[in-house]
Amino acid sequence: MSETSAGTPIPAQTVPWSPLDEYLWYSCEIIADLVEGRLEQRALIASTARLQHGERVLAVGPAQRGSWRALGDGSYMHQSGFAFGNPGFVLTSLAATAISNSARRNRAARDAQPRWVLEGPGEVTVTTRRMHFSHPVHELYWDWDASGLRAIDLIAPDAVEVAFIDNNNTHNLARVHTSWASLIFALTARTSFPAHPRLLTQGWLPPDFDKRCALIGRPCHPAARLLLGRGIT
């Protein structure tokens, strides 16, 4: 049971609270402990991600990667139009071949157009130094201070989008769909994009989040303000 400013009791169950809010609350706690040097007081978290010396896992959870890419290069196999038999059979066969070639050509042209492609589920690990998405084929990771990062944004409460240049000097655009998206965005932006509008306006959290936390009896640390006022160690 909580109270309004007028002292009127408000049942905690009437305050809107979603599973994603739970992740946001823990994200604020993690950031506060990170900024204020209390990580050693947090329980260790298991992860299969490879860690560097001194690196500590902050959060782990299911995730999915999306990539902005084409499914093909525009090429297709063109079938020949040779046919033998009576004239009616030959004409029918040639027409069918032409229709088939046209369909393959159109499909190849569509596949050559970039679009968002879901690469499959995996596990995301957030550490004191990086984000790591594990996948047998489409692995993705970046350090908070990676030089290849070009842009980042929180496009939804559970999706972060990043533009980067890989080791082959290729420009890439990727999305990570995870309940830890806000945490990933905040840590990346704080280190590599400190003037990001969403960071400066504290817009990576819902505007009334701290009030709702207080109303359900679980006040959260002012993580958004802490990121602006102090460095991450």
Side-chain angles (χ1 to χ4, degrees), residues 1-3 10-18 21-22 25 209-220:
M1 186 75 71
S2 303
E3 294 185 354
I10 297 179
Q13 61 267 26
T14 66
V15 179
W17 193 261
S18 68
D21 288 329
E22 194 73 11
W25 187 88
F209 186 67
D210 57 342
K211 295 179 181 178
R212 289 194 291 117
C213 290
L215 286 174
I216 67 168
R218 295 178 62 188
C220 65

Side-chain angles (χ1 to χ4, degrees), residues 2-232:
S2 303
E3 294 185 354
T4 65
S5 58
T8 304
I10 297 179
Q13 61 267 26
T14 66
V15 179
W17 193 261
S18 68
L20 187 57
D21 288 329
E22 194 73 11
Y23 282 89
L24 292 176
W25 187 88
Y26 276 108
S27 294
C28 290
E29 297 300 293
I30 291 170
I31 289 173
D33 287 347
L34 181 64
V35 172
E36 298 183 331
R38 294 189 300 270
L39 283 184
E40 294 302 322
Q41 300 176 21
R42 303 188 67 87
L44 294 177
I45 299 176
S47 171
T48 59
R50 180 175 178 175
L51 304 178
Q52 297 181 4
H53 178 72
E55 188 174 8
R56 187 183 176 104
V57 176
L58 302 177
V60 174
Q64 192 165 53
R65 175 184 176 174
S67 300
W68 180 256
R69 64 179 179 86
L71 297 177
D73 59 5
S75 62
Y76 69 100
M77 183 67 68
H78 184 86
Q79 288 186 341
S80 65
F82 293 106
F84 301 93
N86 62 64
F89 172 79
V90 170
L91 290 175
T92 300
S93 178
L94 291 176
T97 300
I99 293 173
S100 178
N101 282 332
S102 177
R104 279 193 291 271
R105 181 172 61 251
N106 292 337
R107 183 169 57 251
R110 290 194 301 271
D111 288 347
Q113 299 300 314
R115 82 285 306 273
W116 283 109
V117 180
L118 289 177
E119 309 290 10
E123 182 178 78
V124 68
T125 298
V126 185
T127 79
T128 49
R129 297 182 182 179
R130 75 195 69 200
M131 187 289 310
H132 178 264
F133 171 75
S134 62
H135 189 275
V137 178
H138 301 288
E139 182 184 32
L140 176 67
Y141 61 89
W142 67 79
D143 291 356
W144 307 139
D145 61 351
S147 60
L149 290 174
R150 290 297 178 264
I152 192 169
D153 201 6
L154 188 68
I155 61 171
D158 60 351
V160 61
E161 183 176 297
V162 63
F164 63 96
I165 299 177
D166 61 22
N167 293 334
N168 297 319
N169 203 34
T170 301
H171 290 259
N172 295 270
L173 193 60
R175 289 176 177 174
V176 180
H177 300 266
T178 169
S179 296
W180 294 113
S182 291
L183 178 63
I184 294 171
F185 167 81
L187 296 181
T188 307
R190 174 62 178 84
T191 304
S192 292
F193 306 94
H196 196 292
R198 196 179 297 278
L199 185 69
L200 295 181
T201 62
Q202 304 176 33
W204 57 275
L205 286 174
D208 62 342
F209 186 67
D210 57 342
K211 295 179 181 178
R212 289 194 291 117
C213 290
L215 286 174
I216 67 168
R218 295 178 62 188
C220 65
H221 286 88
R225 294 194 296 275
L226 286 173
L227 285 182
L228 294 176
R230 300 178 63 176
I232 296 176

